[in-house]
Amino acid sequence: MSKLIIDGGVPLLGEIRVQGAKNSVLPILAATVIAGDKCVLHNCPRLRDVDKTDLVLERLGCTVERHGNTVIVDPDGFCSCEICDDLMRAMRSSIIFLGAIITRCGEARVSMPGGCPIGLRPIDLHLKALKELGVSIHEEHGYIICRAKKLKGTDIHLDFPSVGATENIMLASVCAEGTTTILNAAREPEIADLAAFLNAMGARITGAGSSFVTIRGVKKLSGAEYTIMPDRIVAATYLAAAAATDGEIFLTGADPSSMGAMLHVLREMGARINVSSGTIHLKSRGRLKNIHILRTMPYPGFPTDIQSPFMAMSATAEGTVVYVENIFENRFRHVDELVRMGADIKVEGRSAVVSGVKTLYGTRLVARELRGGAALVVAALGAEGTSEISGVEYIDRGYEEIEKSLADCNACIRRVQ
Ligand code: EPZ
């Protein structure tokens, strides 16, 4: 297991090229099983979660080749409709293969995805929608068995704008008979990226990225070449790190149009931000000021995935802010670690009251999940003294070579085995 050693207190200063979006490339890789031919995906980040998804594709019989940040998937050898327990436990977001496998072969057998450190992660909305599309589903010995003689388009209303459920509905209806509409669809930009990829394969999807999506079933899909959108959460994490260290950073290959809520918070807290197509420039203007309250919401609201990295930034900003986590029930696991560094944070149910302190102090820290781990990196960069962060495998799930990107911006950070 590797660790990150960070000598804090050094202002970030430099440029980072933003990686491709993890939460876009995962459903897009799942969608390649429906392709009638090879798919070539550019700007694919090198992440543990992408490696695991590649493994699922190979277990399903597809071939996967990686050349730098380009991944080529050939689904021709597709021969299995099962995702077994070890893979599902390794990455619960493999549930996104469900709709694609059913479209490809009319059945699917996947192990029940368990919860994860941030919450129970139920899939009731996924299964309810698939049943409305004509899928028969039963659970047996911890597996979900799905069968669909024919997928028939229908009107689906989501009780909650679930990202994964929206994606599974799109993947299950793209070749269904007739038209499917999704009311109260998730509006995250990654949904629009998946739809753009499917349309490049010959699908007929309109409205993706809005709360009303229409999918007109087509007979079959071809292969496609596609470039994955930039990762808005990784981009905002690096902006938070620059702001928390009183630094200055240029992000290239970014998509500021998908980051409105996060850029707004950074500006309100006192950072100076200029954007142009593809680049974001942040310059800190001294100690940040906390804003009164931050509520995580479905897109275009303040994203739950940036809650912990931004809380790390708030820990040393002036004043008090209340973070309200409305999306997941257990997403404050980073708080104990920040308190060990000297942060003043009190958790009450879904709220965390952060009172900014002047300085955090480096110490031994443990990452327990992806974004909470990134939050510890942000805190350690701004802290006085040295921090040693274990559990880096969690951070590697979503951040490509985090220590290299930060070291390129003056940070004193290194990975040790
Ligand atoms: C996606 O997870 C992302 N993961 C998450 O990013 C992100 O936090 C989340 O969307 C919200 O934006 C990927 O895209 C791989 P949801 P997903 O379904 O699809 C409840 C990261 O750090 N719900 O929108 O699982 C659920 O419990 C990860 O990159 C049901 O109740 O999110 C949660 O409270 C973490 N029933 C809420 O909806 C369901 O059937 C949001 O879940 C499905 C979801």
Side-chain angles (χ1 to χ4, degrees):
M1 295 295 178
S2 53
K3 291 180 180 170
L4 291 176
I5 310 292
I6 298 174
D7 297 324
V10 177
L12 284 195
L13 181 60
E15 182 178 309
I16 294 177
R17 177 160 186 75
V18 177
Q19 69 183 60
K22 169 181 84 78
N23 291 349
S24 177
V25 71
L26 297 186
I28 284 178
L29 283 168
T32 62
V33 305
I34 315 176
D37 203 344
K38 277 187 185 180
C39 292
V40 181
L41 304 174
H42 301 297
N43 203 28
C44 283
R46 289 185 300 283
L47 302 169
R48 286 168 59 93
D49 274 10
V50 173
D51 295 344
K52 288 188 188 114
T53 305
D54 292 348
L55 195 54
V56 172
L57 285 169
E58 286 165 347
R59 287 270 189 90
L60 293 172
C62 305
T63 55
V64 183
E65 286 168 48
R66 178 181 274 273
H67 306 281
N69 283 85
T70 293
V71 168
I72 301 170
V73 181
D74 184 349
D76 192 44
F78 182 92
C79 60
S80 162
C81 67
E82 177 169 337
I83 300 183
C84 52
D85 194 47
D86 64 325
L87 279 178
M88 194 57 92
R89 285 181 191 278
M91 191 178 64
R92 61 164 311 289
S93 54
S94 304
I95 194 64
I96 197 56
F97 275 91
L98 199 50
I101 295 172
I102 294 170
T103 292
R104 172 76 192 229
C105 61
E107 59 179 323
R109 188 172 186 278
V110 299
S111 162
M112 277 296 276
C116 74
I118 66 173
L120 288 171
R121 313 298 293 275
I123 58 167
D124 55 306
L125 299 176
H126 298 240
L127 301 182
K128 179 167 174 275
L130 290 174
K131 284 176 187 163
E132 290 173 32
L133 285 164
V135 181
S136 72
I137 298 175
H138 70 277
E139 293 169 30
E140 196 179 271
H141 311 312
Y143 273 79
I144 305 168
I145 321 279
C146 300
R147 281 195 187 81
K149 284 196 191 60
K150 179 199 291 287
L151 287 159
K152 217 161 155 6
T154 186
D155 297 335
I156 295 172
H157 176 273
L158 281 175
D159 298 341
F160 178 86
S162 154
V163 171
T166 303
E167 291 166 345
N168 253 330
I169 296 167
M170 285 164 60
L171 291 166
S173 62
V174 73
C175 293
E177 186 187 284
T179 296
T180 298
T181 62
I182 310 172
L183 205 58
N184 196 26
R187 295 185 273 172
E188 273 70 4
E190 292 77 18
I191 306 272
D193 216 31
L194 173 61
F197 172 64
L198 288 166
N199 286 341
M201 293 158 79
R204 295 175 61 202
I205 302 172
T206 52
S210 79
S211 54
F212 186 72
V213 181
T214 303
I215 304 107
R216 289 173 180 76
V218 295
K219 284 267 174 290
K220 67 192 232 13
L221 299 178
S222 65
E225 182 160 5
Y226 191 75
T227 298
I228 307 294
M229 69 174 278
D231 194 309
R232 58 196 170 98
I233 303 301
V234 169
T237 304
Y238 290 137
L239 293 175
T245 57
D246 197 13
E248 181 173 8
I249 196 168
F250 282 88
L251 298 183
T252 58
D255 174 14
S257 69
S258 66
M259 300 173 62
M262 299 182 278
L263 298 180
H264 174 72
V265 169
L266 287 164
R267 286 186 171 116
E268 283 224 310
M269 289 181 70
R272 193 175 70 212
I273 294 179
N274 293 305
V275 301
S276 64
S277 63
T279 64
I280 303 173
H281 171 225
L282 176 143
K283 177 148 180 41
S284 168
R285 292 186 294 186
R287 191 181 183 195
L288 296 164
K289 290 176 186 54
N290 275 321
I291 58 180
H292 177 53
I293 188 164
L294 272 172
R295 297 179 181 85
T296 66
M297 299 297 280
Y299 193 89
F302 182 72
T304 174
D305 292 348
I306 207 63
Q307 176 256 108
S308 51
F310 270 36
M311 189 184 293
M313 175 178 65
S314 288
T316 53
E318 191 184 327
T320 298
V321 54
V322 180
Y323 280 79
V324 184
E325 175 51 62
N326 291 311
I327 307 294
F328 290 109
E329 63 269 27
N330 190 26
R331 206 164 197 178
F332 288 143
R333 303 197 59 182
H334 53 286
V335 169
D336 288 349
E337 299 299 301
L338 294 178
V339 169
R340 283 167 52 82
M341 301 177 78
D344 177 354
I345 306 173
K346 291 179 185 56
V347 172
E348 281 290 323
R350 293 234 176 188
S351 300
V353 182
V354 182
S355 303
V357 296
K358 270 244 181 303
T359 310
L360 296 182
Y361 297 91
T363 183
R364 292 165 74 105
L365 300 164
V366 179
R368 300 186 197 287
E369 45 91 11
L370 165 55
R371 305 300 174 185
L376 302 184
V377 174
V378 170
L381 288 167
E384 204 172 282
T386 301
S387 295
E388 179 186 290
I389 301 175
S390 58
V392 183
E393 61 278 9
Y394 287 109
I395 302 172
D396 292 339
R397 296 188 64 162
Y399 292 81
E400 185 178 49
E401 296 183 313
I402 190 167
E403 75 278 12
K404 186 183 173 312
S405 299
L406 290 167
D408 287 350
C409 291
N410 233 20
C412 296
I413 180 172
R414 67 189 195 284
R415 182 186 292 252
V416 295
Q417 293 309 331

